[in-house]
Amino acid sequence: MAYDYLIVGTGLFGSVFAHEAAKRGHTVKMLEKRTHIGGNCYTEKQAGIDVHKYGAHIFHTSSKKIWDYINQFTEFYPYIHAPIANYQGELYNLPFNMNTFYQLWGTKNPAEARIKISTQIEKTGIKRPRNLEEQALSLVGTDIYHKLIKGYTEKQWGRECDLLPSFIIKRLPIRYTFNNNYFTDIFQGIPKLGYTQMIQKMLTHPLIDISLETDFFADRTRHEASSKNIVYTGMIDQYFDYCYGELAYRSLHFETKVYDTDNYQGTAVMNFTDSQTPYTRIIEHKHFCPVVTKKTVITKEYPKEWKKGDIPYYPINDQSNNALYRKYEKLAQQQKKCLFGGRLANYRYYDMDDTIAAALKLVQYEFPAE
């Protein structure tokens, strides 16, 4: 059987496209090299709790169109993301707001906090930041930088802050209100039954076939011949056999444990911002969508260098990698049969709402009259 579309990957981008293509009467074959659908937003039950297997995923958007779209497939629990920063045992609210400033300095109103931050910025004497460290210091001053940015950032990127380019931190939000809501988006939540169930509903259609534990590259010629069109959501450099070289990524390692307690840390996400703690954060999954149980599940998240065989999480969008990506992008634009989309194929970090918007844009491009 020749399918209309072969989709490589069952993450959010590919799943939205598959749903829309099937809805329009097109046959779809999906290939997934993992043992499950859903890509990195996959959730699985442990001790009766939905565990975010590949890191915390909070759905947030200011687009009513995207919010209405995703609500076709799931009901949302109205979760508000309010992470805590742990610096050598000292706890601070995130994002940087009046609660954080009070915890740091005892300032009680916005005027006091503004004076404290502006005085510290002025003392740095930085006019033209040459690296990430100088950029951050020129935006938030010394205390916030050293306690809440430096250690976390160096663990995340595996490099000293003064060796990282300044454009990684274009801005640092400072809020002069007592508001711990991390996101400013109008709509925010967690699927009540988990992300896996949400994507399963997208893909439940008689015109969609899914093959798990199937690597597109292991039998590429046969897979390419099985369909009229391809939607590729994997690493763009791998598609072209790394002909210009490898793009760089950061990867992650997770350690997940079940504990016989109903509450381990009191919040869904706690960031560890010192350089001595080897992990960047601990996720306690039951706080995303409360469930009555005497157990809890936590995950420690360790950043690491990416190498072939690892899951690529974060593109390193510095000048050299972006230039390399543009060379691959030109090759992609020359392909007549294959469409490219998603975080890995576009070599950029997408929030989930951005991923859905990009997939729907490709749908409009591919089916303009439908």
Side-chain angles (χ1 to χ4, degrees):
M1 172 182 178
Y3 292 90
D4 294 324
Y5 289 91
L6 174 73
I7 300 179
V8 182
T10 59
L12 190 56
F13 185 97
S15 296
V16 168
F17 188 92
H19 174 81
E20 294 298 321
K23 189 169 73 173
R24 289 163 170 79
H26 300 281
T27 56
V28 176
K29 177 72 171 183
M30 302 189 78
L31 303 182
E32 175 55 65
K33 65 181 179 181
R34 301 183 193 182
T35 60
H36 57 75
I37 62 171
N40 288 348
C41 62
Y42 168 75
T43 50
E44 64 181 16
K45 291 284 187 185
Q46 291 189 40
I49 299 164
D50 278 316
V51 171
H52 297 218
K53 187 173 175 64
Y54 303 100
H57 283 73
I58 299 101
F59 195 92
H60 57 98
T61 185
S62 288
S63 168
K64 189 173 187 304
K65 176 184 176 182
I66 297 297
W67 182 247
D68 289 344
Y69 183 84
I70 200 64
N71 271 268
Q72 298 176 83
F73 309 108
T74 185
E75 289 185 56
F76 279 87
Y77 173 76
Y79 170 80
I80 298 299
H81 193 43
I84 299 294
N86 184 320
Y87 176 77
Q88 298 180 347
E90 299 172 7
L91 302 184
Y92 299 94
N93 289 105
L94 295 176
F96 312 138
N97 66 67
M98 287 300 299
N99 290 307
T100 321
F101 309 147
Y102 179 77
Q103 291 152 357
L104 280 167
W105 309 306
T107 52
K108 298 180 178 64
N109 59 61
E112 291 178 1
R114 287 179 193 275
I115 291 170
K116 190 75 175 180
I117 292 172
S118 62
T119 300
Q120 289 192 4
I121 290 173
E122 187 176 347
K123 284 183 178 179
T124 68
I126 298 169
K127 302 299 181 184
R128 295 183 179 180
R130 297 167 297 177
N131 52 55
L132 185 147
E133 178 166 282
E134 292 184 354
Q135 176 80 345
L137 286 169
S138 70
L139 292 171
V140 297
T142 51
D143 289 349
I144 294 175
Y145 170 70
H146 285 291
K147 288 195 172 187
L148 302 179
I149 297 173
K150 179 178 169 62
Y152 188 93
T153 302
E154 290 180 346
K155 288 187 290 187
Q156 187 76 4
W157 293 103
R159 293 162 180 80
E160 299 292 320
C161 282
D162 59 2
L163 299 178
L164 289 166
S166 60
F167 64 76
I168 289 179
I169 296 182
K170 295 179 180 177
R171 62 183 182 87
L172 287 169
I174 296 177
R175 300 179 188 168
Y176 293 98
T177 62
F178 292 92
N179 180 3
N180 296 323
N181 188 345
Y182 192 81
F183 301 113
T184 58
D185 292 302
I186 300 169
F187 307 105
Q188 184 178 163
I190 301 285
K192 286 185 177 180
L193 300 179
Y195 285 103
T196 303
Q197 183 269 355
M198 178 187 84
I199 289 181
Q200 183 64 63
K201 191 168 182 181
M202 284 185 191
L203 301 181
T204 300
H205 194 286
L207 295 180
I208 299 176
D209 292 334
I210 303 171
S211 292
L212 299 177
E213 299 182 86
T214 304
D215 187 346
F216 169 74
F217 294 102
D219 198 356
R220 179 171 179 165
T221 302
R222 181 175 68 85
H223 290 314
E224 288 180 329
S226 70
S227 71
K228 301 171 187 174
N229 306 281
I230 298 171
V231 175
Y232 178 77
T233 69
M235 294 189 300
I236 191 170
D237 51 347
Q238 185 180 15
Y239 183 87
F240 294 108
D241 198 25
Y242 308 101
C243 64
Y244 295 131
E246 293 180 16
L247 290 164
Y249 296 89
R250 289 290 285 170
S251 191
L252 296 169
H253 167 68
F254 301 99
E255 290 182 357
T256 298
K257 292 183 179 180
V258 180
Y259 284 93
D260 290 320
T261 179
D262 64 349
N263 194 350
Y264 180 86
Q265 66 183 14
T267 188
V269 177
M270 185 171 292
N271 291 352
F272 290 79
T273 60
D274 61 277
S275 57
Q276 290 77 30
T277 305
Y279 43 85
T280 49
R281 58 183 180 173
I282 294 179
I283 300 164
E284 187 171 8
H285 302 270
K286 72 186 306 180
H287 294 300
F288 286 128
C289 194
V291 58
V292 179
T293 172
K294 294 182 179 180
K295 294 183 181 291
T296 195
V297 182
I298 69 149
T299 299
K300 293 180 179 178
E301 188 172 304
Y302 298 80
K304 66 174 189 173
E305 291 290 332
W306 175 85
K307 62 182 186 301
K308 284 185 181 179
D310 292 336
I311 297 174
Y313 285 92
Y314 304 108
I316 299 178
N317 291 118
D318 57 20
Q319 292 179 347
S320 61
N321 279 291
N322 286 342
L324 181 57
Y325 165 70
R326 286 191 290 271
K327 294 171 74 173
Y328 283 118
E329 185 181 33
K330 286 182 181 179
L331 286 182
Q333 291 168 349
Q334 296 167 12
Q335 303 300 303
K336 295 181 180 179
K337 182 177 178 177
C338 188
L339 302 166
F340 296 79
R343 180 174 50 90
L344 300 178
N346 294 150
Y347 197 65
R348 71 187 65 171
Y349 182 82
Y350 281 134
D351 285 328
M352 284 184 283
D353 62 332
D354 296 327
T355 301
I356 294 170
L360 293 176
K361 184 177 180 179
L362 183 62
V363 168
Q364 291 178 340
Y365 170 82
E366 191 68 0
F367 312 117
E370 298 181 46

